Amino acid sequence: MEELKKYIRSVPDFPKPGINFYDITTLLIDPAGFKKALDSMESFVRSKGAQKIISIESRGFVFGAALADRLGIGLITARKPGKLPYKTIREEYDLEYGTDSLEIHSDSVTNGEKVVVVDDLIATGGTLRAVCKMIERLGGEVAGISVVIDLAFLPWREKLRGYDVHYLISYDSE
Ligand code: AMP
């Protein structure tokens, strides 16, 4: 899958100095690249027997929605606080400076349901861990995590110990 790297644009110093931003819009705009990424994510999600997908605002929605349609299963959206209209549960997670939160509807997962979490990229793993915790709080089972890009030089493995994490391409250094 390393061939997919040719579809990813890396943008230095975005959104602030020192951050190398991995831009997936260049993957989405290329039908062959987007299809290759989805094919691989689809096999993983299928192999985990997922009954639902949960995708993370906002780039995760693009992959999550396409996969949910391919598999014929439901899609949950994890959103920034204050966006979801009904009863929600919330998890806070650490950022480099400060904290952020995500919410999901409290009736979006039923007891024992197998859910796969989908996003574009894994960095520190804080975002994905917060989403996994919410699924578990509602009685669901995190059957796996699927992302396009792994930033292997960041210590997410510790945070996501015990979860089956699938990714398509890895970057070993910034
Ligand atoms: P983290 O919680 O640190 O694993 O951050 C993951 C989330 O932040 C994902 O939703 C990514 O879209 C975004 N993100 C973090 N770092 C980068 C980066 N270097 N390039 C692109 N997106 C990033």
Side-chain angles (χ1 to χ4, degrees):
M1 274 291 124
E2 286 290 303
E3 56 180 304
L4 275 182
K5 274 190 181 165
K6 68 173 187 252
Y7 299 105
I8 306 294
R9 170 164 58 194
S10 89
V11 183
D13 300 318
F14 183 88
K16 54 186 182 185
I19 304 278
N20 199 20
F21 193 88
Y22 293 94
D23 178 17
I24 51 99
T25 65
T26 39
L27 170 77
L28 301 178
I29 212 165
D30 188 304
F34 191 30
K35 182 178 184 314
K36 270 185 214 160
L38 288 173
D39 284 349
S40 173
M41 293 170 100
E42 179 185 350
S43 314
F44 175 77
V45 179
R46 241 179 238 292
S47 76
K48 302 313 286 182
Q51 294 165 288
K52 273 185 188 147
I53 284 174
I54 183 161
S55 59
I56 304 174
E57 185 168 355
S58 57
R59 289 182 293 272
F61 291 172
V62 179
F63 297 95
L67 290 169
D69 181 61
R70 281 184 173 208
L71 274 94
I73 59 178
L75 178 70
I76 305 165
T77 52
R79 301 213 56 186
K80 304 273 165 62
K83 301 286 186 190
L84 290 169
Y86 187 61
K87 284 182 215 148
T88 55
I89 60 165
R90 178 186 295 197
E91 276 288 337
E92 205 175 79
Y93 55 96
D94 291 331
L95 297 175
E96 196 179 354
Y97 302 105
T99 60
D100 214 339
S101 308
L102 282 169
E103 293 181 345
I104 61 174
H105 275 142
S106 44
D107 60 354
S108 55
V109 177
T110 55
N111 223 13
E113 202 161 43
K114 287 183 169 194
V115 184
V116 169
V117 189
V118 171
D119 203 2
D120 65 329
L121 177 146
I122 200 171
T124 67
T127 310
L128 284 161
R129 192 162 85 138
V131 170
C132 291
K133 274 202 218 161
M134 287 193 283
I135 293 163
E136 288 163 356
R137 276 170 63 192
L138 295 177
E141 182 196 324
V142 177
I145 295 172
S146 183
V147 298
V148 180
I149 300 168
D150 151 44
L151 299 190
F153 52 92
L154 291 174
W156 60 261
R157 277 165 217 280
E158 224 165 280
K159 244 183 211 151
L160 295 172
R161 187 165 294 140
Y163 294 113
D164 188 0
V165 181
H166 167 258
Y167 46 80
L168 309 182
I169 46 183
S170 283
Y171 292 92
D172 293 326
S173 64
E174 273 182 293

